[in-house]
């Protein structure tokens, strides 16, 4: 078995976190660490956390409590991501066995933080970064932490918590993408929208975009490595502003979509306020752009949209939907909805239900409002009881299910191109994904074995609320 320091990393939350973890893993591997599958095998246990709702935040503290006993074996714990940024040094009080707390804006400083962790802990059996010929001085020990710190103290405490004013993106050439066929590229980080309920502007800092040159260089590099599907990522991906001023978001979509070798380009999440008609025109003009837009609405009531500080009205949102519906291609539309925001009446909720009917979404992510630290909505009275929030959520999901059953039925008899994603052995079905981001499982004749990552044509024969079933067109 190989030696060296080992790490285990578990990721919670959104695609941004998933991709951040790929970059963190790449950085750790470059620093000489080896990734392992279980906490028991690891020297360093990392959690990349999410704090969008209270439940997500609590998960990480449960994990830390579950494995606390492993500290006695010399293992070190680190909390990364949104909970790290939000709770900061308070994490050391709540989980004293944690050594590293690092928000996403500070990941670029991870090599120095790792160096500090190594030199403050047991260095006898492991060569230091300097001894391994790697550069970078430790500079980030928390200056406010007056607790004793010695060479072998388990109390080493490191925080990397840039404030939200940083204008740097976390770019690295070391992203360890797990899927060899489709991968993410972050084009914009942070958020300046400050919706009344949301922690993201506080945990991920101010909005900052990468240059279009660097995005295109990464897309070309991925195409050279054999990737055929790229997904551009941002909390509000379409708020992208090229620091070089060379292209708009829609022009960037077209440019990445035209990189030789790229067959599919997706982007998420779009904010309605920055959603221009030029995005729909780009989808119509560039065949590699996928026929799917995720456009979170949150509520169908203007009163609630205003209280949420969403910066658009129901009418403006529906205008954007109309642009998509009048496109040459059939664009699948999905959304996010929050129920039970403070002061949401039954009538407001009905307006949201009615919006689902009007748009006819192909999918929704729906959430009960969860009060979050630092957010303006915290000052509002969260007076809707949890049972009522649950009831509204249930009604909403049932209505959406009916809409999806009708939408998915329309695909029966059509032939769709899918990217082969894998096989469900238990059902003896292959798993495919359409350009509209629908799962289309399919059967194949005995002699055929489709390759994962390739594109095949499938005839749809049956529909379900969340997926389709078909057979390979030979
Ligand atoms: N930037 C995207 C937008 O503005 O639509 C959304 C990104 S946010 C990370 C993902 C989703 O989490 C939101 O669309 C919202 O529905 C949900 N969400 C955020 N804060 C929430 C809260 N406090 N309670 C419940 N759901 C929340
Ligand atoms: Fe959160 Fe609003 Fe920013 Fe989306 S736009 S990340 S919901 S603050």
């Amino acid at each position: 078995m190989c030696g060296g320091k080992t790490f285990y990393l578990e990721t919670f939350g959104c695609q941004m976190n998933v991709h951040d973890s790929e970059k963190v893993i790449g950085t750790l591997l470059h620093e000489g660490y080896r990734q392992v599958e279980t906490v028991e095998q690891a020297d360093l246990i990392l959690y990349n956390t999410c704090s969008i709702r209270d439940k997500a935040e609590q998960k990480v503290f449960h994990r830390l409590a579950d494995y606390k006993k492993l500290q006695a074996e010399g293992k070190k714990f680190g909390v990364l991501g949104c909970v790290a940024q939000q709770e900061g040094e308070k994490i050391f009080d709540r989980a004293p066995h944690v050594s590293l707390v690092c928000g996403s804006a500070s990941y670029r400083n991870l090599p120095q933080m790792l160096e500090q962790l190594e030199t403050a802990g047991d260095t006898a059996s492991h060569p230091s970064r300097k001894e391994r010929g790697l550069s970078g001085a430790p500079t980030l020990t928390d200056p406010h932490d007056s607790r004793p710190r010695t060479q072998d103290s388990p109390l080493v405490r490191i925080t990397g918590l840039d404030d939200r004013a940083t204008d740097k993106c976390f770019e690295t050439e070391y992203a360890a993408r797990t899927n060899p066929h489709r991968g993410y590229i972050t084009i914009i980080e942070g958020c300046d929208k400050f919706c009344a309920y949301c922690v993201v502007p506080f945990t991920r800092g101010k909005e900052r975009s990468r240059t279009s040159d660097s995005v295109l260089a990464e897309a070309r590099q991925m195409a050279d490595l054999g990737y055929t599907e790229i997904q551009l990522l941002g909390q509000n991906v379409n708020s992208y502003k090229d620091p070089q001023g060379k292209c708009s978001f829609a022009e960037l979509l077209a440019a990445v979509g035209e990189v030789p070798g790229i067959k599919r380009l997706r982007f998420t999440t779009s904010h309605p306020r920055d959603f221009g008609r030029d995005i729909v025109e780009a989808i119509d003009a560039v065949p590699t752009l996928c026929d799917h837009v995720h456009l979170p609405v949150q509520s169908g009531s203007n009163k609630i949209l205003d209280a949420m500080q969403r910066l658009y009205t129901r009418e403006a949102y529906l205008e954007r939907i109309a642009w998509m519906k009048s496109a040459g291609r059939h664009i699948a539309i999905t959304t996010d909805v929050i129920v039970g925001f403070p002061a949401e009446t039954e009538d407001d909720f009905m307006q949201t239900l009615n919006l689902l009917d009007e748009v006819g979404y192909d999918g929704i992510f729906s959430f009960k409002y969860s009060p979050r630290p630092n957010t303006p909505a915290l000052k509002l009275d969260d007076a809707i009881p949890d049972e009522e929030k649950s009831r509204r959520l249930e009604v909403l999901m049932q209505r959406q299910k009916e809409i999806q059953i009708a939408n998915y039925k329309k695909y029966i008899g059509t032939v769709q191109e899918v990217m082969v994603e894998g096989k469900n052995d238990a059902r003896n079905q292959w798993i495919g994904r359409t350009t509209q981001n629908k799962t289309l499982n399919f059967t194949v004749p005995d002699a055929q074995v489709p390759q994962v990552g390739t594109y095949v044509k499938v005839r749809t024969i049956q529909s379900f609320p969340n997926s389709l079933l078909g057979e390979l067109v030979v």
Side-chain angles (χ1 to χ4, degrees):
M1 185 171 140
C2 339
K5 289 259 184 188
T6 54
F7 74 97
Y8 169 86
L9 173 64
E10 182 174 352
T11 306
F12 301 90
C14 63
Q15 289 140 316
M16 299 283 289
N17 265 13
V18 170
H19 186 43
D20 277 350
S21 283
E22 292 178 337
K23 295 191 242 179
V24 167
I25 291 169
T27 304
L28 279 148
L29 295 175
H30 180 72
E31 292 298 310
Y33 280 69
R34 185 164 58 85
Q35 190 176 13
V36 291
E37 297 291 313
T38 66
V39 285
E40 287 77 11
Q41 294 169 293
D43 299 316
L44 176 63
I45 297 158
L46 298 171
Y47 295 111
N48 187 5
T49 60
C50 169
S51 67
I52 198 82
R53 283 169 292 278
D54 185 55
K55 246 191 199 155
E57 182 180 335
Q58 294 318 319
K59 267 189 202 160
V60 66
F61 288 107
H62 290 143
R63 276 295 192 287
L64 287 168
D66 287 349
Y67 292 109
K68 191 177 169 198
K69 55 183 182 297
L70 295 178
Q71 188 199 13
E73 296 172 19
K75 296 183 191 301
K76 296 208 174 82
F77 292 82
V79 178
L80 312 179
C82 291
V83 176
Q85 193 68 39
Q86 179 188 293
E87 296 299 300
E89 292 153 39
K90 282 187 264 170
I91 293 176
F92 296 133
D93 297 329
R94 204 164 154 187
H97 54 301
V98 169
S99 295
L100 172 69
V101 168
C102 178
S104 61
S106 297
Y107 290 159
R108 62 185 182 281
N109 298 320
L110 268 173
Q112 290 96 314
M113 289 186 258
L114 293 170
E115 166 90 45
Q116 270 194 295
L117 262 187
E118 289 175 23
T119 50
D122 169 19
T123 51
S125 56
H126 303 290
S128 74
R129 295 180 72 243
K130 223 169 257 163
E131 284 163 334
R132 295 199 308 266
L134 301 167
S135 60
T139 54
L140 291 161
T141 305
D142 174 14
H144 308 294
D145 183 2
S146 57
R147 282 164 284 208
R149 199 177 291 115
T150 61
Q151 273 297 296
D152 56 0
S153 167
L155 264 183
V156 52
R157 276 157 178 172
I158 299 164
T159 56
L161 299 173
D162 283 4
D163 67 13
R164 74 174 305 280
T166 185
D167 53 8
K168 294 201 175 81
C169 293
F170 176 40
E171 288 183 49
T172 167
E173 58 199 287
Y174 307 121
R177 293 188 171 89
T178 42
N179 186 311
H181 311 291
R182 59 185 159 85
Y184 298 123
I185 299 182
T186 312
I187 65 164
I188 176 170
E189 294 189 34
C191 176
D192 285 342
K193 300 275 193 293
F194 289 97
C195 297
Y197 50 81
C198 185
V199 286
V200 169
F202 306 95
T203 58
R204 286 193 161 264
K206 74 172 187 185
E207 213 159 78
R208 50 208 191 273
S209 300
R210 286 173 58 181
T211 62
S212 53
D213 280 354
S214 76
V215 172
L216 276 163
E218 192 167 353
R220 288 191 198 104
Q221 193 189 28
M222 287 173 70
D224 288 345
L225 289 168
Y227 288 86
T228 58
E229 181 177 316
I230 286 177
Q231 183 159 359
L232 302 183
L233 289 183
Q235 292 297 341
N236 295 303
V237 72
N238 60 326
S239 305
Y240 177 81
K241 279 181 199 67
D242 183 4
Q244 297 171 300
K246 280 190 181 171
C247 62
S248 66
F249 173 65
E251 287 164 346
L252 181 70
L253 284 180
V256 177
E258 280 159 7
V259 167
I262 297 306
K263 277 179 75 77
R264 284 185 175 179
L265 177 64
R266 302 184 187 278
F267 54 97
T268 199
T269 293
S270 294
H271 191 287
R273 182 177 162 151
D274 295 330
F275 194 85
R277 203 168 193 155
D278 54 350
I279 298 174
V280 181
E281 287 163 0
I283 293 176
D284 260 344
V286 184
T288 49
L289 295 198
C290 288
D291 301 353
H292 171 224
V293 171
H294 185 65
L295 197 66
V297 67
Q298 314 300 358
S299 170
S301 151
N302 277 336
K303 183 192 95 189
I304 297 298
L305 287 174
D306 187 45
M308 287 177 163
Q309 298 168 25
R310 281 294 286 178
L311 312 172
Y312 55 82
T313 59
R314 174 187 174 110
E315 292 71 28
Y317 180 87
L318 285 172
E319 188 185 9
R320 281 139 185 82
I321 298 294
W323 295 340
M324 287 190 264
K325 290 197 169 171
S326 61
R329 295 162 76 182
H330 174 63
I331 300 175
I333 305 165
T334 55
T335 200
D336 293 350
V337 172
I338 297 176
V339 298
F341 188 75
E344 184 190 67
T345 61
E346 187 62 18
D347 178 58
D348 294 318
F349 175 60
M350 285 300 154
Q351 291 181 48
T352 301
L353 279 186
N354 160 279
L355 185 96
L356 296 192
D357 293 333
E358 195 163 342
V359 178
Y361 291 109
D362 276 348
I364 65 170
F365 295 102
S366 48
F367 312 101
K368 292 192 275 187
Y369 167 65
S370 167
R372 305 308 296 133
N374 305 318
T375 59
L378 210 55
K379 293 195 203 91
L380 306 173
D381 190 9
D382 180 25
I384 302 173
D386 192 56
E387 308 80 72
E388 177 58 14
K389 287 181 188 168
S390 299
R391 185 195 69 80
R392 290 182 193 176
L393 191 69
E394 190 53 42
V395 172
L396 187 90
M397 290 191 320
Q398 188 52 40
R399 177 70 64 90
Q400 179 56 28
K401 188 175 170 187
E402 288 158 18
I403 293 168
Q404 272 175 230
I405 287 173
N407 283 1
Y408 274 58
K409 243 186 205 149
K410 293 180 192 154
Y411 288 87
I412 295 178
T414 66
V415 171
Q416 305 285 323
E417 185 178 59
V418 300
M419 182 201 244
V420 183
E421 295 198 332
K423 192 178 179 199
N424 180 334
D425 286 321
R427 292 193 173 163
N428 198 23
Q429 288 169 3
W430 289 83
I431 304 160
R433 186 159 300 275
T434 69
T435 164
Q436 297 186 333
N437 208 28
K438 291 184 171 57
T439 300
L440 171 49
N441 299 315
F442 60 99
T443 54
V444 302
D446 278 347
Q448 303 273 331
V449 180
Q451 290 293 305
V452 171
T454 60
Y455 295 80
V456 297
K457 296 254 193 284
V458 175
R459 178 168 296 101
T460 313
I461 54 173
Q462 210 179 338
S463 71
F464 305 95
N466 287 304
S467 66
L468 300 165
L469 180 65
E471 50 200 15
L472 184 74
V473 176
V474 184

